[in-house]
């Protein structure tokens, strides 16, 4: 089958012929229909140590079942439309059984070096990790369930009080997902700050009550002017050094900071300022199976937007160039591969 593979640090991804996956006893093989490009893919493929040569990335995907393993659970049939959590767990430990397979001791991630991902015509997934798409949910939305679930998990962790004022820093796919769910879970104000002007309008479509162009305004005073007070909860959705300290500065006494952005470099904070303010600082990653299900359900009922974050659609041949373009700031938000 055709797949887009990582070669080495500093060189473009390449389109190659690779062996088709065969399902293990408890697996499914999907014909990939849609797969999103994630910021994590950019990070892991452009920063040392890189990925093993030949790695197929792609962990935000949906497709059609073409093969079902002998002992696959869930009664899946050829032709079923599904998305899947991007890992395969043992299927029997308490974490796997309760939908928290990210914690499974033998968990292998999909599309980040361990198991091949969905920048390909076919991908192997665990039946235990697969979820059916409701009839009204298309493959593109199916591929957006993963990034939307990242936002959902972060917002759940933030325990937003009804009527709280929320600041979201960054309007990339993760920031947009956080904004959607913060509004959904009862925030009064959801103010999104961002430096890429093109993304501010997207933020409004994704639940922001107001936006701040961080190139032109100071975020603290701008937030207060819009929300009428300081942010009760701040979501850091960018992941660059210096931003944590900025969040600590912006937070009021007993404010809460939730870090969703993945900063790969060492960062410095002055703990005393956070101590004096009694700031709660939480780091979050990934999701639970329930987050995937709720996202699917809310897509099906038309209660959250999704597709508007897709700014570019490419095929496998167009992916290497689109992937390179994403490395420099532009108008792109979510790049979607259609296969
Ligand atoms: Zn992702
Ligand atoms: Zn397990």
């Amino acid at each position: 089958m055709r797949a887009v593979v990582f070669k080495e640090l500093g060189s473009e991804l390449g389109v190659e012929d690779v062996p088709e996956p065969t399902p293990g006893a408890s697996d499914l093989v999907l014909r990939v229909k849609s797969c999103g490009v994630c910021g994590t893919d950019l990070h892991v493929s452009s920063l040392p140590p890189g990925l093993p040569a030949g790695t197929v990335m792609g962990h935000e995907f949906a497709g059609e079942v073409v093969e079902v393993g002998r002992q696959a659970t869930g009664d899946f049939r050829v032709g079923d439309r599904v998305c899947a959590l991007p890992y395969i767990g043992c299927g029997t430990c308490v974490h796997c059984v309760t939908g928290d397979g990210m914690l499974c001791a033998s968990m292998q991630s999909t599309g980040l070096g361990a198991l091949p991902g969905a920048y390909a015509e076919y991908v192997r997934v665990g039946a235990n990790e697969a979820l059916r798409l409701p009839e009204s949910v298309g493959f593109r939305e199916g591929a957006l369930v993963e990034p939307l679930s990242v936002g959902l998990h972060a917002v759940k962790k933030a325990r937003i009080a009804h009527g709280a004022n929320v600041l979201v820093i960054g309007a990339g796919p993760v920031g947009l997902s956080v904004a959607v769910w913060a509004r959904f879970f009862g925030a009064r104000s959801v103010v999104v700050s961002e430096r890429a002007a093109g993304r501010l309008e997207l933020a409004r479509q994704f639940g922001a009550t107001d936006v701040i162009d961080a190139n032109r305004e100071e975020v603290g005073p701008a937030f207060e002017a819009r929300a009428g007070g300081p942010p009760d909860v701040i979501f850091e959705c960018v992941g660059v050094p210096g931003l944590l300290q900025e969040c600590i500065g912006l937070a009021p006494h007993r404010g809460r900071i939730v870090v969703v952005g993945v900063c790969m470099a060492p960062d410095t904070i002055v703990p005393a300022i956070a101590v004096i303010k009694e700031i709660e600082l939480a780091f979050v990653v990934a999701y639970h199976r329930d987050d995937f299900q709720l996202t699917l359900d809310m897509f099906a009922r038309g209660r959250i937007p999704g597709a508007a974050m897709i700014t570019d659609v490419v095929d496998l041949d167009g992916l290497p160039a689109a992937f390179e373009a994403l490395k420099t700031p532009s108008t792109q938000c979510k790049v979607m591969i259609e296969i």
Side-chain angles (χ1 to χ4, degrees):
M1 66 169 180
R2 301 177 76 233
V4 171
V5 306
F6 171 83
K7 293 179 167 174
E8 58 180 352
L9 280 178
S11 86
E12 261 192 31
L13 305 179
V15 184
E16 286 182 7
D17 270 316
V18 304
E20 281 177 25
T22 42
S26 55
D27 300 333
L28 312 172
V29 173
L30 309 186
R31 169 86 176 88
V32 179
K33 294 289 189 176
S34 297
C35 178
V37 176
C38 177
T40 307
D41 300 343
L42 295 168
H43 281 296
V44 297
S45 64
S46 59
L47 295 172
L51 291 161
T55 296
V56 178
M57 294 186 285
H59 60 266
E60 307 177 355
F61 56 86
E64 215 170 74
V65 175
V66 292
E67 271 187 86
V68 181
R70 286 175 290 110
Q71 290 158 19
T73 53
D75 199 24
F76 288 100
R77 305 287 162 88
V78 169
D80 282 354
R81 301 159 61 254
V82 302
C83 64
L85 294 144
Y87 58 78
I88 298 181
C90 74
T92 53
C93 75
V94 64
H95 305 298
C96 284
V97 169
T98 57
D100 217 0
M102 294 291 295
L103 303 180
C104 171
S106 61
M107 183 276 279
Q108 287 191 292
S109 64
T110 301
L112 292 168
L115 301 172
Y119 288 2
E121 291 180 285
Y122 298 94
V123 66
R124 175 167 79 96
V125 304
N128 193 43
E129 286 80 15
L131 296 92
R132 278 189 187 76
L133 303 185
E135 210 169 304
S136 61
V137 174
F139 289 115
R140 282 191 190 181
E141 282 181 322
L144 290 172
V145 170
E146 197 269 358
L148 263 299
S149 296
V150 169
L152 173 55
H153 175 73
V155 169
K156 282 182 174 173
K157 286 278 201 183
R159 309 185 320 276
I160 295 174
H162 297 157
N165 290 329
V166 171
L167 170 61
V168 181
I169 299 178
V174 169
L176 295 177
S177 303
V178 165
V180 166
W181 292 111
R183 182 157 179 158
F184 194 96
F185 280 86
R188 172 182 171 276
S189 299
V190 181
V191 182
V192 177
S193 87
E194 166 65 51
R195 292 188 184 279
R199 288 181 171 185
L200 289 173
E201 195 39 50
L202 268 182
R204 289 188 194 277
Q205 293 180 48
F206 277 81
T209 52
D210 277 293
V211 297
I212 298 170
D213 181 343
N215 283 326
R216 301 161 66 153
E217 284 187 278
E218 250 192 87
V219 175
F223 185 92
E224 296 216 12
R226 286 157 175 80
D232 302 302
V233 182
I234 301 173
F235 290 92
E236 195 279 86
C237 303
V238 179
V240 295
L243 209 44
L244 265 187
Q245 185 62 36
E246 205 178 312
C247 290
I248 291 169
L250 290 167
H253 270 86
R254 299 194 178 147
R256 194 172 300 136
I257 299 168
V258 179
V259 182
V260 202
V262 182
C263 179
M264 307 286 276
D267 197 2
T268 305
I269 62 166
V270 182
I273 299 173
V275 169
I276 290 162
K277 289 185 172 181
E278 288 198 322
I279 280 170
E280 285 182 50
L281 179 59
F283 295 84
V284 300
V285 72
Y287 27 66
H288 188 275
R289 186 189 165 94
D290 289 350
D291 300 321
F292 265 54
Q293 190 62 58
L294 181 59
T295 301
L296 277 172
D297 293 345
M298 295 303 100
F299 270 148
R301 285 164 178 72
R303 291 179 63 186
I304 54 167
M309 77 165 68
I310 301 170
T311 51
D312 299 79
V313 177
V314 298
D315 59 11
L316 286 177
D317 293 303
L319 177 57
F323 197 85
E324 286 308 304
L326 263 178
K327 292 178 180 173
T328 45
S330 69
T331 55
Q332 290 166 310
C333 189
K334 179 59 73 186
V335 173
M336 187 62 71
I337 310 156
E338 303 264 313
I339 302 160

